[in-house]
Amino acid sequence: MIIGLTGGIATGKSTVAAMLRELGVCHIDADRIGHRMLTPDSPVFSRVVEQFGPDILDPDGAIDRKRLGALVFSGEEAKKQLEKIVHPAIMEEIDRQLIQCPAGLPVVLDAPLLIEAGLHSMVDVIWVTHCREETQVSRLRERGLTRQEAVARIRSQMPAREKLALATERIDTEKTLNETRKQIDRLYREITGQVPPQEK
């Protein structure tokens, strides 16, 4: 069973992924893989620098993700250019990690761009985290973004309604962490037929 976990920025996807890891699933983090693709030892590092210029580098010669993010989130074309470079390498690494997952364990493919990148074709079910846009803005401002930057990042992504239309399960993260955990425990029981470890 491969579960595709996705959701817009600051909708609680990482929190849900952490809860699932606690339940013992095999977790594949496409975002983390994507971050590794921006490190100097990545096979696509030089192509990203060539495409976006040396101004995206920090004093140590590494890609400054904040500078790159400002470019990518400022226009659709820049976003497409980055995705064209890094997505094939990300897919290759996801395939490698899938092979390494222990047999019999549910696999969670955790990917912000699960649908946009076509990764949803690899999964059996799609779980989408969601909350109000104002909640997303508030969470992003807590991370240091301005309101304008937060709204720009949210609206640069696929609209929530489109993701939710493809969801097998919708995970509402608007309420407390305890309420979110109850949803995850219920879904875990449905997928595995097992009682979550903390309930035993």
Side-chain angles (χ1 to χ4, degrees):
M1 169 65 72
I2 303 178
I3 301 160
L5 176 64
T6 192
I9 189 169
T11 60
K13 183 180 64 61
S14 296
T15 298
V16 168
M19 292 176 179
L20 287 165
R21 285 197 301 272
E22 289 173 7
L23 292 172
V25 303
C26 182
H27 178 236
I28 298 175
D29 188 340
D31 213 16
R32 179 172 292 182
I33 293 170
H35 290 174
R36 285 211 303 269
M37 293 303 157
L38 299 179
T39 60
D41 59 351
S42 157
V44 297
F45 177 85
S46 60
R47 290 178 57 203
V48 174
V49 175
E50 183 181 345
Q51 177 67 51
F52 294 98
D55 287 346
I56 65 170
L57 298 176
D58 65 20
D60 296 324
I63 290 175
D64 185 319
R65 292 182 56 242
K66 191 167 185 180
R67 291 182 196 173
L68 179 61
L71 286 173
V72 169
F73 287 108
S74 66
E76 188 62 28
E77 188 55 37
K79 187 164 171 276
K80 286 179 180 177
Q81 289 169 347
L82 180 64
E83 289 170 358
K84 185 177 180 181
I85 295 170
V86 301
H87 277 184
I90 291 172
M91 287 289 293
E92 186 176 330
E93 178 61 15
I94 287 172
D95 284 340
R96 188 188 70 81
Q97 291 192 22
L98 275 172
I99 292 169
Q100 294 181 336
C101 283
L105 274 188
V107 177
V108 172
L109 176 53
D110 173 0
L113 300 178
L114 183 83
I115 295 164
E116 298 92 320
L119 296 173
H120 62 303
S121 63
M122 303 171 62
V123 305
D124 299 301
V125 293
I126 300 172
W127 293 1
V128 178
T129 57
H130 67 99
C131 60
R132 294 180 303 119
E133 183 174 296
E134 192 54 42
T135 301
Q136 289 175 270
V137 171
S138 176
R139 290 171 179 172
L140 288 171
R141 294 195 69 182
E142 289 175 2
R143 299 180 194 176
L145 274 65
T146 66
R147 182 177 186 83
Q148 185 177 4
E149 289 170 335
V151 170
R153 293 207 175 192
I154 292 166
R155 296 189 179 171
S156 74
Q157 298 184 328
M158 175 185 282
R161 66 180 180 277
E162 294 182 19
K163 288 190 176 185
L164 289 168
L166 296 173
T168 310
E169 297 288 347
R170 302 178 176 198
I171 301 170
D172 182 357
T173 65
E174 186 69 39
K175 299 176 184 176
T176 65
L177 282 175
N178 191 46
E179 288 298 320
T180 300
R181 187 177 295 279
K182 285 179 182 177
Q183 294 175 75
I184 299 309
D185 287 351
R186 173 181 62 80
L187 292 173
Y188 176 85
R189 284 194 298 269
E190 290 176 0
I191 288 291
T192 66
Q194 298 173 9
V195 176
Q198 66 268 25
E199 293 184 11
K200 292 180 180 178

PDB file of all heavy atoms in Angstrom, residues 68-81:
ATOM      1  N   LEU A  68      16.819  31.614  -3.904  1.00  0.00           N
ATOM      2  CA  LEU A  68      16.247  30.833  -5.005  1.00  0.00           C
ATOM      3  C   LEU A  68      14.724  30.844  -4.919  1.00  0.00           C
ATOM      4  O   LEU A  68      14.030  31.014  -5.932  1.00  0.00           O
ATOM      5  CB  LEU A  68      16.761  29.397  -4.953  1.00  0.00           C
ATOM      6  CG  LEU A  68      16.224  28.461  -6.042  1.00  0.00           C
ATOM      7  CD1 LEU A  68      16.600  28.951  -7.432  1.00  0.00           C
ATOM      8  CD2 LEU A  68      16.747  27.031  -5.823  1.00  0.00           C
ATOM      9  N   GLY A  69      14.200  30.701  -3.688  1.00  0.00           N
ATOM     10  CA  GLY A  69      12.750  30.711  -3.499  1.00  0.00           C
ATOM     11  C   GLY A  69      12.127  32.016  -3.946  1.00  0.00           C
ATOM     12  O   GLY A  69      11.041  32.028  -4.543  1.00  0.00           O
ATOM     13  N   ALA A  70      12.801  33.131  -3.669  1.00  0.00           N
ATOM     14  CA  ALA A  70      12.275  34.434  -4.079  1.00  0.00           C
ATOM     15  C   ALA A  70      12.144  34.512  -5.596  1.00  0.00           C
ATOM     16  O   ALA A  70      11.177  35.078  -6.122  1.00  0.00           O
ATOM     17  CB  ALA A  70      13.187  35.550  -3.569  1.00  0.00           C
ATOM     18  N   LEU A  71      13.109  33.918  -6.308  1.00  0.00           N
ATOM     19  CA  LEU A  71      13.049  33.895  -7.769  1.00  0.00           C
ATOM     20  C   LEU A  71      11.938  32.971  -8.264  1.00  0.00           C
ATOM     21  O   LEU A  71      11.138  33.338  -9.123  1.00  0.00           O
ATOM     22  CB  LEU A  71      14.385  33.416  -8.346  1.00  0.00           C
ATOM     23  CG  LEU A  71      15.568  34.377  -8.311  1.00  0.00           C
ATOM     24  CD1 LEU A  71      16.834  33.656  -8.758  1.00  0.00           C
ATOM     25  CD2 LEU A  71      15.303  35.570  -9.210  1.00  0.00           C
ATOM     26  N   VAL A  72      11.915  31.785  -7.706  1.00  0.00           N
ATOM     27  CA  VAL A  72      10.985  30.757  -8.178  1.00  0.00           C
ATOM     28  C   VAL A  72       9.528  31.135  -7.911  1.00  0.00           C
ATOM     29  O   VAL A  72       8.655  30.916  -8.747  1.00  0.00           O
ATOM     30  CB  VAL A  72      11.324  29.393  -7.528  1.00  0.00           C
ATOM     31  CG1 VAL A  72      10.228  28.371  -7.793  1.00  0.00           C
ATOM     32  CG2 VAL A  72      12.662  28.893  -8.044  1.00  0.00           C
ATOM     33  N   PHE A  73       9.276  31.724  -6.727  1.00  0.00           N
ATOM     34  CA  PHE A  73       7.897  32.066  -6.388  1.00  0.00           C
ATOM     35  C   PHE A  73       7.454  33.399  -6.980  1.00  0.00           C
ATOM     36  O   PHE A  73       6.315  33.809  -6.800  1.00  0.00           O
ATOM     37  CB  PHE A  73       7.720  32.077  -4.864  1.00  0.00           C
ATOM     38  CG  PHE A  73       7.720  30.690  -4.273  1.00  0.00           C
ATOM     39  CD1 PHE A  73       8.787  30.233  -3.521  1.00  0.00           C
ATOM     40  CD2 PHE A  73       6.658  29.834  -4.486  1.00  0.00           C
ATOM     41  CE1 PHE A  73       8.803  28.960  -2.989  1.00  0.00           C
ATOM     42  CE2 PHE A  73       6.650  28.549  -3.958  1.00  0.00           C
ATOM     43  CZ  PHE A  73       7.724  28.113  -3.207  1.00  0.00           C
ATOM     44  N   SER A  74       8.361  34.069  -7.699  1.00  0.00           N
ATOM     45  CA  SER A  74       7.992  35.359  -8.295  1.00  0.00           C
ATOM     46  C   SER A  74       7.371  35.195  -9.671  1.00  0.00           C
ATOM     47  O   SER A  74       6.789  36.126 -10.206  1.00  0.00           O
ATOM     48  CB  SER A  74       9.224  36.264  -8.405  1.00  0.00           C
ATOM     49  OG  SER A  74      10.159  35.722  -9.319  1.00  0.00           O
ATOM     50  N   GLY A  75       7.499  34.002 -10.264  1.00  0.00           N
ATOM     51  CA  GLY A  75       6.933  33.818 -11.596  1.00  0.00           C
ATOM     52  C   GLY A  75       6.797  32.359 -11.960  1.00  0.00           C
ATOM     53  O   GLY A  75       7.616  31.514 -11.560  1.00  0.00           O
ATOM     54  N   GLU A  76       5.779  32.031 -12.715  1.00  0.00           N
ATOM     55  CA  GLU A  76       5.488  30.645 -13.088  1.00  0.00           C
ATOM     56  C   GLU A  76       6.590  30.045 -13.943  1.00  0.00           C
ATOM     57  O   GLU A  76       6.922  28.865 -13.819  1.00  0.00           O
ATOM     58  CB  GLU A  76       4.151  30.589 -13.826  1.00  0.00           C
ATOM     59  CG  GLU A  76       3.635  29.195 -14.110  1.00  0.00           C
ATOM     60  CD  GLU A  76       3.351  28.386 -12.852  1.00  0.00           C
ATOM     61  OE1 GLU A  76       3.037  28.998 -11.803  1.00  0.00           O
ATOM     62  OE2 GLU A  76       3.445  27.153 -12.911  1.00  0.00           O
ATOM     63  N   GLU A  77       7.187  30.859 -14.828  1.00  0.00           N
ATOM     64  CA  GLU A  77       8.208  30.339 -15.736  1.00  0.00           C
ATOM     65  C   GLU A  77       9.444  29.863 -14.979  1.00  0.00           C
ATOM     66  O   GLU A  77       9.997  28.792 -15.260  1.00  0.00           O
ATOM     67  CB  GLU A  77       8.597  31.404 -16.755  1.00  0.00           C
ATOM     68  CG  GLU A  77       9.510  30.896 -17.866  1.00  0.00           C
ATOM     69  CD  GLU A  77       8.947  29.687 -18.618  1.00  0.00           C
ATOM     70  OE1 GLU A  77       7.720  29.620 -18.839  1.00  0.00           O
ATOM     71  OE2 GLU A  77       9.752  28.794 -18.961  1.00  0.00           O
ATOM     72  N   ALA A  78       9.875  30.648 -13.978  1.00  0.00           N
ATOM     73  CA  ALA A  78      11.044  30.264 -13.182  1.00  0.00           C
ATOM     74  C   ALA A  78      10.763  28.968 -12.420  1.00  0.00           C
ATOM     75  O   ALA A  78      11.630  28.088 -12.298  1.00  0.00           O
ATOM     76  CB  ALA A  78      11.411  31.380 -12.219  1.00  0.00           C
ATOM     77  N   LYS A  79       9.545  28.841 -11.914  1.00  0.00           N
ATOM     78  CA  LYS A  79       9.152  27.633 -11.179  1.00  0.00           C
ATOM     79  C   LYS A  79       9.220  26.411 -12.096  1.00  0.00           C
ATOM     80  O   LYS A  79       9.741  25.358 -11.721  1.00  0.00           O
ATOM     81  CB  LYS A  79       7.736  27.840 -10.647  1.00  0.00           C
ATOM     82  CG  LYS A  79       7.208  26.762  -9.725  1.00  0.00           C
ATOM     83  CD  LYS A  79       5.992  27.306  -8.981  1.00  0.00           C
ATOM     84  CE  LYS A  79       5.265  26.236  -8.199  1.00  0.00           C
ATOM     85  NZ  LYS A  79       4.318  25.463  -9.013  1.00  0.00           N
ATOM     86  N   LYS A  80       8.728  26.566 -13.318  1.00  0.00           N
ATOM     87  CA  LYS A  80       8.753  25.459 -14.274  1.00  0.00           C
ATOM     88  C   LYS A  80      10.179  25.072 -14.649  1.00  0.00           C
ATOM     89  O   LYS A  80      10.489  23.898 -14.823  1.00  0.00           O
ATOM     90  CB  LYS A  80       7.972  25.844 -15.541  1.00  0.00           C
ATOM     91  CG  LYS A  80       6.470  25.851 -15.359  1.00  0.00           C
ATOM     92  CD  LYS A  80       5.774  26.254 -16.650  1.00  0.00           C
ATOM     93  CE  LYS A  80       4.250  26.258 -16.474  1.00  0.00           C
ATOM     94  NZ  LYS A  80       3.568  26.725 -17.710  1.00  0.00           N
ATOM     95  N   GLN A  81      11.054  26.071 -14.771  1.00  0.00           N
ATOM     96  CA  GLN A  81      12.442  25.804 -15.123  1.00  0.00           C
ATOM     97  C   GLN A  81      13.131  24.984 -14.036  1.00  0.00           C
ATOM     98  O   GLN A  81      13.865  24.031 -14.335  1.00  0.00           O
ATOM     99  CB  GLN A  81      13.188  27.123 -15.351  1.00  0.00           C
ATOM    100  CG  GLN A  81      12.783  27.844 -16.625  1.00  0.00           C
ATOM    101  CD  GLN A  81      13.339  29.258 -16.698  1.00  0.00           C
ATOM    102  OE1 GLN A  81      13.822  29.799 -15.700  1.00  0.00           O
ATOM    103  NE2 GLN A  81      13.277  29.858 -17.871  1.00  0.00           N
TER     104      GLN A  81
END
